[in-house]
Amino acid sequence: LNDTLIPAESLKIKKTTRFSLQFLFQGFKVDLLPATNLAVSEKSMPIDDLQYESLLLKLKSMSHIQREKDIRYWSAGFAEATVAYIKQQSPFCNAAIRICKLWKLGCNVTDTTFPLWFTSFLVEIVAVEMAQAELRDHPHDASILRVLHKFLRALSEPLQLKILPSGRKYQTEDIPSKILKERPLVLDPVNPFNNLATKLGDWNTIRQLALSTLESLNQSKTMKEIFSPRLG
């Protein structure tokens, strides 16, 4: 990977793995995830759809052990489908994403305390599902504040958390039965083999922060207290 980049004073390599390259460029943190081009076929269809279909078939053909071993290598190939999924959401859902990501940004924890897998993408998927639930419950007066309540309540009850994203690109029968039984379950909307929330033991920190914020909301505390939750 290093050989593919033009050396520059403003570029500083931070970390390399067999899956990725992390570097700083002009002060910006960049994660480069190379993806294998599988969009090679005589089928008459958009290249993005062809890449997705080919990658899904590739993962289906693998054994569970092989898939688990190489999932990070292949997951980069879903990047365009992931971006498209978020872009197709309604303005209300995107507003929900922003407020929930603002909450995550304000959480008063260190990098070592906050679970590494609790990514912005996981927050986006939970936020979208809670926003869609709010639109179903209150089609004429949907409230972002109620979405935030739903979002925090979902995070505070990991054993009850089961999200199979609406509008996912695959069929329900594509999801392995083993994954469907996992809790918490926040399934990737474009990759049926990827539970975004797999480590229940790490949920204690998230649960405490969610409960702390719910308490602040119920007590009508200031915006600063609501969006800067503390542990303990």
Side-chain angles (χ1 to χ4, degrees):
L1 287 176
N2 292 346
D3 295 336
T4 67
L5 296 172
I6 300 174
E9 294 181 1
S10 56
L11 188 150
K12 182 178 180 181
I13 304 297
K14 301 291 290 184
K15 182 181 179 181
T16 59
T17 71
R18 61 180 289 231
F19 310 107
S20 65
L21 171 64
Q22 185 181 99
F23 59 92
L24 290 175
F25 181 70
Q26 296 181 348
F28 292 95
K29 182 180 176 182
V30 179
D31 290 305
L32 182 63
L33 304 172
T36 302
N37 180 17
L38 298 176
V40 181
S41 172
E42 295 182 359
K43 289 185 177 181
S44 179
M45 60 191 305
I47 190 169
D48 290 351
D49 292 340
L50 181 57
Q51 169 74 10
Y52 178 81
E53 182 182 272
S54 301
L55 181 53
L56 195 60
L57 287 173
K58 178 76 175 178
L59 290 176
K60 286 181 180 180
S61 70
M62 296 180 181
S63 67
H64 172 72
I65 294 176
Q66 184 182 7
R67 203 163 45 231
E68 288 293 303
K69 178 183 176 182
D70 294 332
I71 191 66
R72 290 185 63 193
Y73 175 79
W74 294 106
S75 62
F78 287 117
E80 290 180 339
T82 299
V83 171
Y85 178 82
I86 297 299
K87 281 187 174 181
Q88 74 183 19
Q89 302 306 322
S90 68
F92 183 80
C93 287
N94 275 286
I97 286 174
R98 286 193 291 272
I99 198 168
C100 292
K101 289 174 76 171
L102 178 62
W103 174 82
K104 177 180 182 290
L105 184 65
C107 288
N108 188 11
V109 293
T110 65
D111 290 340
T112 56
T113 304
F114 216 65
L116 294 176
W117 55 264
F118 192 68
T119 62
S120 291
F121 185 41
L122 186 150
V123 171
E124 289 170 350
I125 300 309
V126 178
V128 166
E129 288 304 302
M130 298 305 109
Q132 291 177 346
E134 173 66 11
L135 288 170
R136 289 192 298 271
D137 295 342
H138 303 275
H140 303 297
D141 61 343
S143 163
I144 288 294
L145 183 59
R146 283 197 296 262
V147 172
L148 183 59
H149 269 274
K150 287 180 168 71
F151 172 82
L152 295 169
R153 185 60 63 192
L155 297 188
S156 71
E157 300 175 342
L159 287 175
Q160 281 71 53
L161 184 57
K162 178 183 177 181
I163 291 179
L164 304 180
S166 305
R168 53 189 180 276
K169 283 183 68 69
Y170 46 82
Q171 302 300 315
T172 301
E173 52 266 28
D174 293 328
I175 309 170
S177 57
K178 176 181 179 294
I179 289 181
L180 283 172
K181 296 175 183 176
E182 294 177 351
R183 296 294 182 277
L185 174 60
V186 179
L187 203 57
D188 189 320
V190 301
N191 181 357
F193 306 102
N194 185 24
N195 179 3
L196 298 169
T198 56
K199 299 180 180 179
L200 179 60
D202 290 341
W203 271 83
N204 189 47
T205 297
I206 299 167
R207 181 175 178 275
Q208 287 185 51
L209 290 166
L211 288 172
S212 172
T213 309
L214 281 170
E215 183 180 355
S216 295
L217 283 169
N218 292 333
Q219 295 178 5
S220 299
K221 292 189 176 181
T222 66
M223 293 294 285
K224 181 177 180 181
E225 290 176 296
I226 291 171
F227 288 99
S228 299
R230 296 175 178 269
L231 292 171

